[in-house]
Amino acid sequence: MTGDHQTAALLLFGAFVAVTLGITTWVSRHRQGSAEEFYAGGRLFSPMENGFAIAGDYMSAASFLGISGLIALVGYDGMLYSVGFLVAWLVVLCLVAELVRNCGRFTLADVVAARMRERPVRIAAGTSSVTVSVLYLVAQMVGAGSLVALLLGGTGEAARAWTVVGVGVLMVIYVSLGGMRATTWIQIVKAVLLLGGTVALTVLVLLRFHGDFNRLLLTAAERSGHGEAFLAPGLAYGGDWTARFDFISLGLALVLGTAGLPHILSRFYTVPTARAARRSVVWAIGLIGGFYLMTIVLGFGAAALIGPDAVRASNASGNTAVPLLALDLGGGADTTGGTVLFAVVAAVAFATILAVVAGITLASSASVAHDLYASLRRRGGKPRSEVAVARVASVGIGLVAIALGLLARDLNVAFLVGLAFAVAASANLPVLLYSLFWRGFTTRGAVWAVYGGLIPAVVLVLLSPVVSGGPASLFPGADFRLFPLQNPGLVSIPLGFLAGWLGTVTSGEAPDEAKHAETEVRSLTGAGAV
């Protein structure tokens, strides 16, 4: 990129960082000592505000950079991510939002522990939540590295590495100083910026083809080199039965994973009532639905105007398709319009990354402090010590995410998020649904459900082509793959549900009927909810 691109984009980066740090500083002046204030923002947000914040939390770098890049590279099959991410919200709306808000306080473990022995359940659920969060964070770090590598013209790995470190430092500052209130306002600002930028790009793409979407698709297919196959299923997932099972596995993970994501579940606690939580989801579905429809236009627009070869030459995984598209729509690399539009899109993408990592870091540090630390520490500690632990935990989680982000820098960010969704659907969703709807569920069943989904999911990823055995693997020079699928969901999700059932039926513990009845009434009516 030219010096003009770099200067304009870096100025916009700096402006957004300054605004978000200003929000964090302003919020930090308010009392942040109580757990309710730090984890849930005092439960003061309206459904509309929380809906925008949920959308800001959910529309990540994977959505903005990764999905459009995949569509530009593989056409129809790349749309699976757009469809899966959106359809997942129906599960959240119908099964999770109100019940979780009524039963829990700050984290997923609160819902399960309401009718189980707390210590083993909190340790299991906390471990799972941190694992999912770190996987999700890695995707955002990779997106940040790809973006800045493009901005600086691929000037080496050092710039990428320092970007990942910088994002990690900023996310720790946002969480440790501002807590949920600052994080929420950062996500609202980011959602408005992202939706505005996406609308502008979509309109420009459609104007380039005079509003003829059919012509856009035909041009993309012609430019792709695959012809009509680019617009039909099977280009990425139809080669053999392994690819087809991978397709099913990914679809299951995307549709079921959202309801188990810790940073999404924690957003339901920032509103005063369960009704407000449900209305928040309705707002979020409208915003997110519109956004994912636009990513389809952007993906095919990048294929038609830039071409898959040029996208792949810039970034092998397609993560830079949208910034390149913005450059072309603005008039090209040497024009003022191209420079400005590229800089705006790059800054919006960077804002997306910062906002999402703040939300994920807050959720994972809450799991460490509220679930793991609170369960393992000696009794009699100071009530405020939990918030202090959460602030320290955000630093540790940031360091882990930075290290893994540097390691996975060449993988597609949407693909990385697909892995996080698979782990969430395997470990968190079974225990959540069993706790809410199964009268006979026991503590052993809860612990087995979490570990029975979490351990197979992580092990299968380590033994899959994602880690070794291929040119696009984390370790291309090694080959210890034993599992043929790239996404473990097809195997690990049923294992999570099976382990929960098996643990319950083999448990000598009698289910607590009274606690289940109390939880059921509370989840459906809100009586006794915090």
Side-chain angles (χ1 to χ4, degrees):
M1 295 297 114
T2 65
D4 289 340
H5 293 94
Q6 294 179 20
T7 303
L10 288 173
L11 284 173
L12 288 170
F13 284 179
F16 181 79
V17 171
V19 169
T20 52
L21 287 175
I23 292 172
T24 305
T25 303
W26 171 69
V27 169
S28 67
R29 293 177 180 173
H30 295 75
R31 185 172 59 88
Q32 295 286 324
S34 71
E36 184 169 315
E37 182 70 32
F38 186 79
Y39 295 144
R43 310 189 200 279
L44 299 175
F45 292 100
S46 69
M48 186 182 75
E49 290 169 344
N50 198 42
F52 269 88
I54 290 172
D57 224 346
Y58 194 68
M59 298 182 303
S60 65
S63 304
F64 191 53
L65 302 177
I67 294 177
S68 299
L70 280 174
I71 294 173
L73 296 181
V74 300
Y76 182 96
D77 281 4
M79 290 198 303
L80 173 65
Y81 283 90
S82 291
V83 175
F85 282 148
L86 178 56
V87 171
W89 280 96
L90 297 178
V91 179
V92 177
L93 179 64
C94 297
L95 295 179
V96 172
E98 287 191 51
L99 306 183
V100 165
R101 173 62 188 84
N102 283 336
C103 287
R105 191 161 173 242
F106 302 125
T107 65
L108 165 71
D110 288 337
V111 180
V112 185
R115 48 177 293 216
M116 309 290 177
R117 284 187 286 117
E118 284 203 33
R119 194 169 185 270
V121 166
R122 286 194 181 278
I123 292 171
T127 302
S128 172
S129 295
V130 171
T131 304
V132 172
S133 298
V134 168
L135 279 172
Y136 213 119
L137 280 172
V138 170
Q140 312 310 314
M141 298 297 194
V142 171
S146 299
L147 192 64
V148 171
L150 174 65
L151 177 67
L152 300 179
T155 52
E157 296 299 321
R160 241 190 211 192
W162 281 110
T163 301
V164 171
V165 173
V167 170
V169 170
L170 283 170
M171 76 186 190
V172 170
I173 292 173
Y174 293 148
V175 171
S176 59
L177 292 182
M180 179 58 85
R181 189 171 294 183
T183 299
T184 299
W185 282 111
I186 291 168
Q187 287 159 347
I188 291 171
V189 171
K190 167 258 172 144
V192 173
L193 290 174
L194 181 59
L195 288 167
T198 309
V199 167
L201 288 179
T202 302
V203 169
L204 289 173
V205 169
L206 293 176
L207 286 176
R208 184 71 70 91
F209 292 91
H210 306 290
D212 189 343
F213 189 66
N214 189 52
R215 185 181 165 199
L216 165 63
L217 295 178
L218 292 176
T219 306
E222 182 182 343
R223 187 101 186 249
S224 70
H226 297 286
E228 292 184 0
F230 191 70
L231 304 178
L235 197 59
Y237 296 106
D240 53 26
W241 280 106
T242 300
R244 293 173 189 178
F245 280 123
D246 231 337
F247 182 88
I248 298 171
S249 186
L250 176 61
L252 277 174
L254 296 182
V255 171
L256 299 177
T258 299
L261 291 176
H263 66 290
I264 297 298
L265 294 175
S266 66
R267 291 237 55 90
F268 300 137
Y269 301 125
T270 63
V271 290
T273 64
R275 182 170 180 267
R278 190 176 185 86
R279 289 174 60 198
S280 297
V281 175
V282 173
W283 271 98
I285 287 176
L287 297 169
I288 292 166
F291 172 77
Y292 282 120
L293 288 175
M294 291 187 285
T295 61
I296 295 173
V297 176
L298 298 184
F300 283 113
L305 298 175
I306 308 299
D309 292 338
V311 171
R312 198 175 281 109
S314 172
N315 181 276
S317 300
N319 294 333
T320 55
V322 172
L324 289 174
L325 176 64
L327 194 62
D328 184 86
L329 291 171
D334 299 321
T335 64
T336 302
T339 299
V340 170
L341 197 56
F342 173 87
V344 168
V345 168
V348 167
F350 198 70
T352 295
I353 291 164
L354 288 180
V356 172
V357 297
I360 301 167
T361 306
L362 179 60
S364 52
S365 63
S367 292
V368 171
H370 185 63
D371 299 327
L372 298 178
Y373 171 74
S375 298
L376 296 172
R377 71 180 174 89
R378 294 179 180 176
R379 301 302 175 194
K382 295 181 180 179
R384 292 184 59 181
S385 63
E386 191 179 296
V387 174
V389 171
R391 291 190 168 110
V392 174
S394 67
V395 177
I397 290 163
L399 292 174
V400 172
I402 288 169
L404 292 176
L406 294 174
L407 182 65
R409 60 185 177 271
D410 294 323
L411 296 180
N412 181 278
V413 287
F415 172 71
L416 285 170
V417 166
L419 295 181
F421 273 62
V423 177
S426 304
N428 291 348
L429 185 63
V431 73
L432 183 60
L433 294 184
Y434 278 150
S435 297
L436 290 173
F437 299 110
W438 187 9
R439 181 179 299 275
F441 199 42
T442 64
T443 301
R444 177 191 279 185
V447 173
W448 283 27
V450 173
Y451 292 128
L454 176 64
I455 295 173
V458 173
V459 170
L460 291 176
V461 169
L462 294 176
L463 298 178
S464 74
V466 175
V467 176
S468 70
S473 302
L474 280 179
F475 303 107
D479 189 359
F480 46 86
R481 57 179 173 174
L482 298 174
F483 183 65
L485 306 184
Q486 292 189 327
N487 192 291
L490 187 61
V491 175
S492 59
I493 295 172
L495 283 179
F497 281 99
L498 178 62
W501 172 81
L502 190 61
T504 298
V505 298
T506 60
S507 172
E509 171 192 0
D512 192 325
E513 296 284 344
K515 279 192 175 180
H516 171 76
E518 180 184 336
T519 302
E520 190 173 39
V521 171
R522 181 172 165 182
S523 67
L524 295 174
T525 67
V530 178

